[in-house]
Amino acid sequence: MALVGFATLARANGILILGDSISAAYGIEKSQGWVHLFEQSLDASCSNLQVINASVSGETTAGGKSRLPGLLEQHQPQIVVIELGGNDGLRGLSPIIMRQNIAQMVSVSRESGATPVILGMRIPPNYGKQYSRLFEQQFTQVAVELDVPLFPFFLEGVIEQNGIQQDGIHPTAEVQPLLLENALTVLAPLLPGQCLSARQNSHNAG
């Protein structure tokens, strides 16, 4: 996949985050959420890249697919982060339709001139092994078929750090930096090096 040129990004209208409650910082202060931390990490050296958080708690892939064309027209982003699917799984919706919705969001993003990336999700095993496995496979299938950068499980490492709120679903404020690191796995290769220099220096200093 060809990466977006640095000169193009310098004139870009930003990075659109299309997510659900995880990216909407449910249950914590918005300023503690990973999207805000990401925006802060760009301020010092790459403030021309606006971060547009269009995440909505409870959003499904169908809802995201419906909202995306208008968001693309309004913001004309250079990068689109698709962090959806968790609510499809929690509601027991069809994984196949979920995949089709994500694939359409990828296509619509590319048609607008934006580069899409996907933050994947898994669901608890109590939904049944077969459903859970089928659900998880859809993210990989979209990524492979459409050649899209994918972080397979956005909450990777969160449970190991006891980073779930009392509701048993949403990440705590303490693990938001970890979510940012997970997201940067697919985002960093699309950004000019200087955009992340401040974050990396701060991280190394810690």
Side-chain angles (χ1 to χ4, degrees):
M1 176 185 297
L3 297 183
V4 181
F6 289 0
T8 303
L9 270 170
R11 300 190 299 270
N13 290 322
I15 302 167
L16 176 67
I17 314 294
L18 185 65
D20 52 30
S21 55
I22 295 175
S23 296
Y26 180 88
I28 61 176
E29 294 293 329
K30 292 288 191 293
S31 60
Q32 297 175 311
W34 81 267
V35 177
H36 184 76
L37 297 180
F38 176 47
E39 188 172 17
Q40 282 187 318
S41 75
L42 298 176
D43 280 349
S45 56
C46 216
S47 58
N48 57 309
L49 274 180
Q50 180 186 10
V51 178
I52 306 118
N53 193 355
S55 302
V56 175
S57 293
E59 186 73 288
T60 62
T61 56
K65 182 183 70 172
S66 176
R67 288 196 299 127
L68 182 56
L71 291 167
L72 292 171
E73 183 176 359
Q74 178 183 356
H75 299 289
Q76 299 181 356
Q78 194 68 34
I79 297 171
V80 175
V81 180
I82 302 170
E83 184 273 301
L84 291 170
N87 287 307
D88 294 60
L90 293 176
R91 297 179 187 183
L93 302 179
S94 166
I96 306 303
I97 293 178
M98 178 188 74
R99 172 173 52 81
Q100 293 171 348
N101 290 338
I102 294 173
Q104 187 164 345
M105 285 186 276
V106 167
S107 298
V108 169
S109 297
R110 285 177 169 163
E111 288 169 5
S112 77
T115 299
V117 301
I118 300 172
L119 301 178
M121 190 51 58
R122 296 174 187 163
I123 57 172
N126 56 295
Y127 283 77
K129 289 184 178 180
Q130 183 175 0
Y131 181 84
S132 298
R133 185 166 52 249
L134 182 63
F135 176 87
E136 184 178 343
Q137 288 172 347
Q138 304 314 305
F139 294 96
T140 302
Q141 186 170 340
V142 171
V144 171
E145 290 181 353
L146 300 182
D147 192 19
V148 189
L150 166 70
F151 192 86
F153 181 36
F154 188 34
L155 300 185
E156 188 73 49
V158 167
I159 294 177
E160 290 81 352
Q161 294 191 20
N162 296 317
I164 298 294
Q165 297 179 38
Q166 290 185 353
D167 62 10
I169 298 175
H170 298 96
T172 62
E174 288 73 20
V175 295
Q176 296 300 313
L178 174 60
L179 294 184
L180 174 56
E181 291 297 324
N182 290 346
L184 285 173
T185 302
V186 289
L187 277 172
L190 300 176
L191 300 173
Q194 70 270 18
C195 284
L196 297 177
S197 59
R199 178 194 68 85
Q200 290 171 336
N201 290 339
S202 174
H203 179 73
N204 292 338

